[in-house]
PDB file of all heavy atoms in Angstrom:
ATOM      1  N   ASP K   1      96.896 104.943 112.261  1.00  0.00           N
ATOM      2  CA  ASP K   1      97.130 103.924 113.280  1.00  0.00           C
ATOM      3  C   ASP K   1      96.625 102.548 112.854  1.00  0.00           C
ATOM      4  O   ASP K   1      97.104 101.537 113.355  1.00  0.00           O
ATOM      5  CB  ASP K   1      96.459 104.318 114.598  1.00  0.00           C
ATOM      6  CG  ASP K   1      97.216 105.415 115.323  1.00  0.00           C
ATOM      7  OD1 ASP K   1      98.373 105.682 114.953  1.00  0.00           O
ATOM      8  OD2 ASP K   1      96.649 106.004 116.260  1.00  0.00           O
ATOM      9  N   ALA K   2      95.671 102.501 111.950  1.00  0.00           N
ATOM     10  CA  ALA K   2      95.196 101.201 111.459  1.00  0.00           C
ATOM     11  C   ALA K   2      96.306 100.481 110.700  1.00  0.00           C
ATOM     12  O   ALA K   2      96.388  99.265 110.710  1.00  0.00           O
ATOM     13  CB  ALA K   2      93.987 101.388 110.549  1.00  0.00           C
ATOM     14  N   ALA K   3      97.154 101.237 110.048  1.00  0.00           N
ATOM     15  CA  ALA K   3      98.240 100.646 109.262  1.00  0.00           C
ATOM     16  C   ALA K   3      99.501 100.466 110.090  1.00  0.00           C
ATOM     17  O   ALA K   3     100.224  99.494 109.925  1.00  0.00           O
ATOM     18  CB  ALA K   3      98.555 101.529 108.057  1.00  0.00           C
ATOM     19  N   HIS K   4      99.774 101.401 110.958  1.00  0.00           N
ATOM     20  CA  HIS K   4     101.005 101.350 111.742  1.00  0.00           C
ATOM     21  C   HIS K   4     100.760 101.925 113.127  1.00  0.00           C
ATOM     22  O   HIS K   4     100.941 103.111 113.352  1.00  0.00           O
ATOM     23  CB  HIS K   4     102.166 102.089 111.051  1.00  0.00           C
ATOM     24  CG  HIS K   4     101.748 103.253 110.201  1.00  0.00           C
ATOM     25  ND1 HIS K   4     101.718 103.183 108.840  1.00  0.00           N
ATOM     26  CD2 HIS K   4     101.317 104.490 110.507  1.00  0.00           C
ATOM     27  CE1 HIS K   4     101.307 104.338 108.345  1.00  0.00           C
ATOM     28  NE2 HIS K   4     101.065 105.138 109.342  1.00  0.00           N
ATOM     29  N   GLY K   5     100.321 101.046 114.025  1.00  0.00           N
ATOM     30  CA  GLY K   5     100.116 101.458 115.403  1.00  0.00           C
ATOM     31  C   GLY K   5     101.460 101.725 116.059  1.00  0.00           C
ATOM     32  O   GLY K   5     102.322 100.862 116.083  1.00  0.00           O
ATOM     33  N   ILE K   6     101.642 102.908 116.540  1.00  0.00           N
ATOM     34  CA  ILE K   6     102.925 103.316 117.108  1.00  0.00           C
ATOM     35  C   ILE K   6     102.729 103.587 118.590  1.00  0.00           C
ATOM     36  O   ILE K   6     101.732 104.184 118.997  1.00  0.00           O
ATOM     37  CB  ILE K   6     103.453 104.576 116.387  1.00  0.00           C
ATOM     38  CG1 ILE K   6     103.708 104.240 114.931  1.00  0.00           C
ATOM     39  CG2 ILE K   6     104.688 105.115 117.063  1.00  0.00           C
ATOM     40  CD1 ILE K   6     104.118 105.408 114.088  1.00  0.00           C
ATOM     41  N   SER K   7     103.693 103.163 119.399  1.00  0.00           N
ATOM     42  CA  SER K   7     103.591 103.433 120.826  1.00  0.00           C
ATOM     43  C   SER K   7     103.489 104.943 121.047  1.00  0.00           C
ATOM     44  O   SER K   7     104.037 105.727 120.283  1.00  0.00           O
ATOM     45  CB  SER K   7     104.792 102.845 121.572  1.00  0.00           C
ATOM     46  OG  SER K   7     105.985 103.454 121.150  1.00  0.00           O
ATOM     47  N   PRO K   8     102.780 105.340 122.080  1.00  0.00           N
ATOM     48  CA  PRO K   8     102.462 106.764 122.275  1.00  0.00           C
ATOM     49  C   PRO K   8     103.589 107.623 122.836  1.00  0.00           C
ATOM     50  O   PRO K   8     103.365 108.781 123.159  1.00  0.00           O
ATOM     51  CB  PRO K   8     101.301 106.708 123.264  1.00  0.00           C
ATOM     52  CG  PRO K   8     101.576 105.487 124.075  1.00  0.00           C
ATOM     53  CD  PRO K   8     102.168 104.496 123.098  1.00  0.00           C
ATOM     54  N   HIS K   9     104.776 107.098 122.910  1.00  0.00           N
ATOM     55  CA  HIS K   9     105.854 107.805 123.603  1.00  0.00           C
ATOM     56  C   HIS K   9     106.295 109.104 122.934  1.00  0.00           C
ATOM     57  O   HIS K   9     106.899 109.944 123.577  1.00  0.00           O
ATOM     58  CB  HIS K   9     107.060 106.890 123.792  1.00  0.00           C
ATOM     59  CG  HIS K   9     106.738 105.674 124.578  1.00  0.00           C
ATOM     60  ND1 HIS K   9     106.357 105.707 125.892  1.00  0.00           N
ATOM     61  CD2 HIS K   9     106.700 104.368 124.225  1.00  0.00           C
ATOM     62  CE1 HIS K   9     106.109 104.498 126.325  1.00  0.00           C
ATOM     63  NE2 HIS K   9     106.308 103.658 125.330  1.00  0.00           N
ATOM     64  N   ILE K  10     106.024 109.286 121.653  1.00  0.00           N
ATOM     65  CA  ILE K  10     106.413 110.538 120.996  1.00  0.00           C
ATOM     66  C   ILE K  10     105.222 111.245 120.348  1.00  0.00           C
ATOM     67  O   ILE K  10     105.385 112.244 119.675  1.00  0.00           O
ATOM     68  CB  ILE K  10     107.552 110.331 119.973  1.00  0.00           C
ATOM     69  CG1 ILE K  10     107.161 109.347 118.895  1.00  0.00           C
ATOM     70  CG2 ILE K  10     108.826 109.898 120.662  1.00  0.00           C
ATOM     71  CD1 ILE K  10     108.196 109.234 117.780  1.00  0.00           C
ATOM     72  N   GLY K  11     104.031 110.732 120.561  1.00  0.00           N
ATOM     73  CA  GLY K  11     102.807 111.395 120.118  1.00  0.00           C
ATOM     74  C   GLY K  11     102.713 111.645 118.624  1.00  0.00           C
ATOM     75  O   GLY K  11     102.316 112.730 118.216  1.00  0.00           O
ATOM     76  N   GLN K  12     103.045 110.666 117.807  1.00  0.00           N
ATOM     77  CA  GLN K  12     103.039 110.869 116.361  1.00  0.00           C
ATOM     78  C   GLN K  12     101.916 110.138 115.640  1.00  0.00           C
ATOM     79  O   GLN K  12     101.841 110.191 114.416  1.00  0.00           O
ATOM     80  CB  GLN K  12     104.386 110.426 115.771  1.00  0.00           C
ATOM     81  CG  GLN K  12     105.510 111.347 116.121  1.00  0.00           C
ATOM     82  CD  GLN K  12     105.304 112.729 115.532  1.00  0.00           C
ATOM     83  OE1 GLN K  12     105.168 112.892 114.338  1.00  0.00           O
ATOM     84  NE2 GLN K  12     105.264 113.736 116.384  1.00  0.00           N
ATOM     85  N   GLY K  13     101.031 109.460 116.340  1.00  0.00           N
ATOM     86  CA  GLY K  13      99.965 108.692 115.697  1.00  0.00           C
ATOM     87  C   GLY K  13      99.076 109.541 114.805  1.00  0.00           C
ATOM     88  O   GLY K  13      98.859 109.232 113.635  1.00  0.00           O
ATOM     89  N   ALA K  14      98.566 110.645 115.340  1.00  0.00           N
ATOM     90  CA  ALA K  14      97.687 111.522 114.558  1.00  0.00           C
ATOM     91  C   ALA K  14      98.452 112.210 113.436  1.00  0.00           C
ATOM     92  O   ALA K  14      97.928 112.374 112.327  1.00  0.00           O
ATOM     93  CB  ALA K  14      97.036 112.564 115.473  1.00  0.00           C
ATOM     94  N   SER K  15      99.682 112.578 113.702  1.00  0.00           N
ATOM     95  CA  SER K  15     100.492 113.235 112.662  1.00  0.00           C
ATOM     96  C   SER K  15     100.704 112.316 111.470  1.00  0.00           C
ATOM     97  O   SER K  15     100.575 112.730 110.319  1.00  0.00           O
ATOM     98  CB  SER K  15     101.844 113.653 113.221  1.00  0.00           C
ATOM     99  OG  SER K  15     101.692 114.601 114.239  1.00  0.00           O
ATOM    100  N   LEU K  16     101.023 111.051 111.752  1.00  0.00           N
ATOM    101  CA  LEU K  16     101.222 110.105 110.659  1.00  0.00           C
ATOM    102  C   LEU K  16      99.923 109.861 109.904  1.00  0.00           C
ATOM    103  O   LEU K  16      99.933 109.702 108.679  1.00  0.00           O
ATOM    104  CB  LEU K  16     101.786 108.783 111.182  1.00  0.00           C
ATOM    105  CG  LEU K  16     103.254 108.814 111.575  1.00  0.00           C
ATOM    106  CD1 LEU K  16     103.674 107.495 112.197  1.00  0.00           C
ATOM    107  CD2 LEU K  16     104.143 109.141 110.402  1.00  0.00           C
ATOM    108  N   ALA K  17      98.797 109.846 110.606  1.00  0.00           N
ATOM    109  CA  ALA K  17      97.511 109.656 109.931  1.00  0.00           C
ATOM    110  C   ALA K  17      97.229 110.815 108.977  1.00  0.00           C
ATOM    111  O   ALA K  17      96.766 110.605 107.850  1.00  0.00           O
ATOM    112  CB  ALA K  17      96.390 109.531 110.964  1.00  0.00           C
ATOM    113  N   LEU K  18      97.531 112.023 109.404  1.00  0.00           N
ATOM    114  CA  LEU K  18      97.330 113.190 108.529  1.00  0.00           C
ATOM    115  C   LEU K  18      98.279 113.152 107.332  1.00  0.00           C
ATOM    116  O   LEU K  18      97.878 113.433 106.193  1.00  0.00           O
ATOM    117  CB  LEU K  18      97.518 114.480 109.321  1.00  0.00           C
ATOM    118  CG  LEU K  18      96.436 114.778 110.352  1.00  0.00           C
ATOM    119  CD1 LEU K  18      96.839 115.957 111.220  1.00  0.00           C
ATOM    120  CD2 LEU K  18      95.105 115.034 109.684  1.00  0.00           C
ATOM    121  N   GLU K  19      99.533 112.806 107.591  1.00  0.00           N
ATOM    122  CA  GLU K  19     100.493 112.686 106.493  1.00  0.00           C
ATOM    123  C   GLU K  19     100.039 111.615 105.497  1.00  0.00           C
ATOM    124  O   GLU K  19     100.081 111.831 104.279  1.00  0.00           O
ATOM    125  CB  GLU K  19     101.879 112.303 107.029  1.00  0.00           C
ATOM    126  CG  GLU K  19     102.554 113.388 107.814  1.00  0.00           C
ATOM    127  CD  GLU K  19     103.848 112.896 108.447  1.00  0.00           C
ATOM    128  OE1 GLU K  19     104.447 111.928 107.935  1.00  0.00           O
ATOM    129  OE2 GLU K  19     104.275 113.485 109.456  1.00  0.00           O
ATOM    130  N   ASP K  20      99.594 110.467 106.026  1.00  0.00           N
ATOM    131  CA  ASP K  20      99.112 109.390 105.162  1.00  0.00           C
ATOM    132  C   ASP K  20      97.957 109.857 104.282  1.00  0.00           C
ATOM    133  O   ASP K  20      97.903 109.552 103.089  1.00  0.00           O
ATOM    134  CB  ASP K  20      98.635 108.196 105.995  1.00  0.00           C
ATOM    135  CG  ASP K  20      99.756 107.386 106.611  1.00  0.00           C
ATOM    136  OD1 ASP K  20     100.934 107.636 106.278  1.00  0.00           O
ATOM    137  OD2 ASP K  20      99.454 106.499 107.426  1.00  0.00           O
ATOM    138  N   THR K  21      97.042 110.595 104.885  1.00  0.00           N
ATOM    139  CA  THR K  21      95.871 111.076 104.153  1.00  0.00           C
ATOM    140  C   THR K  21      96.284 111.972 102.994  1.00  0.00           C
ATOM    141  O   THR K  21      95.769 111.839 101.869  1.00  0.00           O
ATOM    142  CB  THR K  21      94.934 111.849 105.111  1.00  0.00           C
ATOM    143  OG1 THR K  21      94.575 110.988 106.186  1.00  0.00           O
ATOM    144  CG2 THR K  21      93.687 112.322 104.402  1.00  0.00           C
ATOM    145  N   ILE K  22      97.204 112.868 103.249  1.00  0.00           N
ATOM    146  CA  ILE K  22      97.658 113.783 102.191  1.00  0.00           C
ATOM    147  C   ILE K  22      98.364 113.014 101.077  1.00  0.00           C
ATOM    148  O   ILE K  22      98.099 113.230  99.893  1.00  0.00           O
ATOM    149  CB  ILE K  22      98.573 114.874 102.786  1.00  0.00           C
ATOM    150  CG1 ILE K  22      97.751 115.795 103.681  1.00  0.00           C
ATOM    151  CG2 ILE K  22      99.282 115.656 101.685  1.00  0.00           C
ATOM    152  CD1 ILE K  22      98.565 116.714 104.558  1.00  0.00           C
ATOM    153  N   VAL K  23      99.236 112.096 101.460  1.00  0.00           N
ATOM    154  CA  VAL K  23      99.992 111.338 100.456  1.00  0.00           C
ATOM    155  C   VAL K  23      99.053 110.492  99.600  1.00  0.00           C
ATOM    156  O   VAL K  23      99.145 110.503  98.373  1.00  0.00           O
ATOM    157  CB  VAL K  23     101.075 110.454 101.124  1.00  0.00           C
ATOM    158  CG1 VAL K  23     101.695 109.489 100.128  1.00  0.00           C
ATOM    159  CG2 VAL K  23     102.148 111.332 101.757  1.00  0.00           C
ATOM    160  N   ILE K  24      98.131 109.769 100.224  1.00  0.00           N
ATOM    161  CA  ILE K  24      97.242 108.904  99.439  1.00  0.00           C
ATOM    162  C   ILE K  24      96.310 109.740  98.569  1.00  0.00           C
ATOM    163  O   ILE K  24      96.024 109.378  97.424  1.00  0.00           O
ATOM    164  CB  ILE K  24      96.468 107.901 100.333  1.00  0.00           C
ATOM    165  CG1 ILE K  24      95.906 106.745  99.489  1.00  0.00           C
ATOM    166  CG2 ILE K  24      95.351 108.544 101.094  1.00  0.00           C
ATOM    167  CD1 ILE K  24      96.922 105.801  98.962  1.00  0.00           C
ATOM    168  N   ALA K  25      95.871 110.882  99.062  1.00  0.00           N
ATOM    169  CA  ALA K  25      95.006 111.758  98.252  1.00  0.00           C
ATOM    170  C   ALA K  25      95.755 112.261  97.023  1.00  0.00           C
ATOM    171  O   ALA K  25      95.202 112.274  95.910  1.00  0.00           O
ATOM    172  CB  ALA K  25      94.508 112.930  99.089  1.00  0.00           C
ATOM    173  N   GLU K  26      96.984 112.666  97.210  1.00  0.00           N
ATOM    174  CA  GLU K  26      97.784 113.148  96.074  1.00  0.00           C
ATOM    175  C   GLU K  26      98.036 112.030  95.059  1.00  0.00           C
ATOM    176  O   GLU K  26      97.983 112.264  93.847  1.00  0.00           O
ATOM    177  CB  GLU K  26      99.123 113.730  96.563  1.00  0.00           C
ATOM    178  CG  GLU K  26      98.976 115.014  97.359  1.00  0.00           C
ATOM    179  CD  GLU K  26      98.362 116.156  96.555  1.00  0.00           C
ATOM    180  OE1 GLU K  26      98.677 116.284  95.365  1.00  0.00           O
ATOM    181  OE2 GLU K  26      97.560 116.906  97.138  1.00  0.00           O
ATOM    182  N   LEU K  27      98.288 110.838  95.534  1.00  0.00           N
ATOM    183  CA  LEU K  27      98.512 109.716  94.621  1.00  0.00           C
ATOM    184  C   LEU K  27      97.237 109.358  93.855  1.00  0.00           C
ATOM    185  O   LEU K  27      97.287 109.063  92.658  1.00  0.00           O
ATOM    186  CB  LEU K  27      99.023 108.488  95.393  1.00  0.00           C
ATOM    187  CG  LEU K  27     100.454 108.593  95.907  1.00  0.00           C
ATOM    188  CD1 LEU K  27     100.761 107.451  96.881  1.00  0.00           C
ATOM    189  CD2 LEU K  27     101.448 108.590  94.751  1.00  0.00           C
ATOM    190  N   LEU K  28      96.104 109.417  94.522  1.00  0.00           N
ATOM    191  CA  LEU K  28      94.839 109.085  93.852  1.00  0.00           C
ATOM    192  C   LEU K  28      94.455 110.144  92.816  1.00  0.00           C
ATOM    193  O   LEU K  28      93.780 109.833  91.838  1.00  0.00           O
ATOM    194  CB  LEU K  28      93.723 108.884  94.879  1.00  0.00           C
ATOM    195  CG  LEU K  28      93.873 107.636  95.753  1.00  0.00           C
ATOM    196  CD1 LEU K  28      92.835 107.628  96.865  1.00  0.00           C
ATOM    197  CD2 LEU K  28      93.790 106.366  94.916  1.00  0.00           C
ATOM    198  N   LYS K  29      94.904 111.375  93.019  1.00  0.00           N
ATOM    199  CA  LYS K  29      94.651 112.437  92.034  1.00  0.00           C
ATOM    200  C   LYS K  29      95.348 112.171  90.701  1.00  0.00           C
ATOM    201  O   LYS K  29      94.957 112.696  89.677  1.00  0.00           O
ATOM    202  CB  LYS K  29      95.139 113.792  92.555  1.00  0.00           C
ATOM    203  CG  LYS K  29      94.238 114.446  93.545  1.00  0.00           C
ATOM    204  CD  LYS K  29      94.832 115.824  93.872  1.00  0.00           C
ATOM    205  CE  LYS K  29      94.275 116.398  95.117  1.00  0.00           C
ATOM    206  NZ  LYS K  29      94.912 117.692  95.427  1.00  0.00           N
ATOM    207  N   LEU K  30      96.395 111.360  90.732  1.00  0.00           N
ATOM    208  CA  LEU K  30      97.166 111.092  89.524  1.00  0.00           C
ATOM    209  C   LEU K  30      96.438 110.170  88.543  1.00  0.00           C
ATOM    210  O   LEU K  30      96.897 109.977  87.421  1.00  0.00           O
ATOM    211  CB  LEU K  30      98.523 110.466  89.880  1.00  0.00           C
ATOM    212  CG  LEU K  30      99.464 111.316  90.728  1.00  0.00           C
ATOM    213  CD1 LEU K  30     100.708 110.513  91.101  1.00  0.00           C
ATOM    214  CD2 LEU K  30      99.844 112.595  89.997  1.00  0.00           C
ATOM    215  N   ASN K  31      95.315 109.594  88.969  1.00  0.00           N
ATOM    216  CA  ASN K  31      94.523 108.677  88.134  1.00  0.00           C
ATOM    217  C   ASN K  31      95.372 107.534  87.582  1.00  0.00           C
ATOM    218  O   ASN K  31      95.297 107.195  86.406  1.00  0.00           O
ATOM    219  CB  ASN K  31      93.841 109.425  86.986  1.00  0.00           C
ATOM    220  CG  ASN K  31      92.774 110.364  87.488  1.00  0.00           C
ATOM    221  OD1 ASN K  31      92.013 110.013  88.383  1.00  0.00           O
ATOM    222  ND2 ASN K  31      92.738 111.565  86.936  1.00  0.00           N
ATOM    223  N   ILE K  32      96.164 106.927  88.460  1.00  0.00           N
ATOM    224  CA  ILE K  32      97.016 105.815  88.036  1.00  0.00           C
ATOM    225  C   ILE K  32      96.431 104.468  88.440  1.00  0.00           C
ATOM    226  O   ILE K  32      97.036 103.437  88.208  1.00  0.00           O
ATOM    227  CB  ILE K  32      98.439 105.964  88.626  1.00  0.00           C
ATOM    228  CG1 ILE K  32      98.380 106.088  90.146  1.00  0.00           C
ATOM    229  CG2 ILE K  32      99.169 107.120  87.999  1.00  0.00           C
ATOM    230  CD1 ILE K  32      99.732 106.150  90.824  1.00  0.00           C
ATOM    231  N   GLY K  33      95.272 104.489  89.020  1.00  0.00           N
ATOM    232  CA  GLY K  33      94.633 103.256  89.486  1.00  0.00           C
ATOM    233  C   GLY K  33      94.954 103.007  90.948  1.00  0.00           C
ATOM    234  O   GLY K  33      96.019 103.366  91.433  1.00  0.00           O
ATOM    235  N   TYR K  34      93.990 102.373  91.612  1.00  0.00           N
ATOM    236  CA  TYR K  34      94.139 102.135  93.046  1.00  0.00           C
ATOM    237  C   TYR K  34      95.334 101.246  93.371  1.00  0.00           C
ATOM    238  O   TYR K  34      96.096 101.528  94.287  1.00  0.00           O
ATOM    239  CB  TYR K  34      92.865 101.490  93.623  1.00  0.00           C
ATOM    240  CG  TYR K  34      91.685 102.413  93.625  1.00  0.00           C
ATOM    241  CD1 TYR K  34      90.607 102.207  92.774  1.00  0.00           C
ATOM    242  CD2 TYR K  34      91.649 103.502  94.495  1.00  0.00           C
ATOM    243  CE1 TYR K  34      89.523 103.063  92.782  1.00  0.00           C
ATOM    244  CE2 TYR K  34      90.573 104.364  94.513  1.00  0.00           C
ATOM    245  CZ  TYR K  34      89.509 104.135  93.649  1.00  0.00           C
ATOM    246  OH  TYR K  34      88.442 104.995  93.658  1.00  0.00           O
ATOM    247  N   THR K  35      95.495 100.187  92.609  1.00  0.00           N
ATOM    248  CA  THR K  35      96.571  99.243  92.915  1.00  0.00           C
ATOM    249  C   THR K  35      97.932  99.921  92.861  1.00  0.00           C
ATOM    250  O   THR K  35      98.736  99.809  93.792  1.00  0.00           O
ATOM    251  CB  THR K  35      96.546  98.049  91.936  1.00  0.00           C
ATOM    252  OG1 THR K  35      95.268  97.428  92.017  1.00  0.00           O
ATOM    253  CG2 THR K  35      97.622  97.044  92.293  1.00  0.00           C
ATOM    254  N   GLN K  36      98.193 100.657  91.807  1.00  0.00           N
ATOM    255  CA  GLN K  36      99.483 101.332  91.688  1.00  0.00           C
ATOM    256  C   GLN K  36      99.619 102.439  92.731  1.00  0.00           C
ATOM    257  O   GLN K  36     100.687 102.629  93.310  1.00  0.00           O
ATOM    258  CB  GLN K  36      99.672 101.903  90.286  1.00  0.00           C
ATOM    259  CG  GLN K  36     101.079 102.436  90.082  1.00  0.00           C
ATOM    260  CD  GLN K  36     101.324 102.927  88.663  1.00  0.00           C
ATOM    261  OE1 GLN K  36     100.442 102.865  87.808  1.00  0.00           O
ATOM    262  NE2 GLN K  36     102.518 103.412  88.422  1.00  0.00           N
TER     263      GLN K  36
END
């Protein structure tokens, strides 16, 4: 929600936060640098 605050009409705020966490964790595992 810090990156993309979404109106609560479909209840996806927490879901997107969890998805974001998984995606960023997987990208950081690649050791490609934070910027990339």
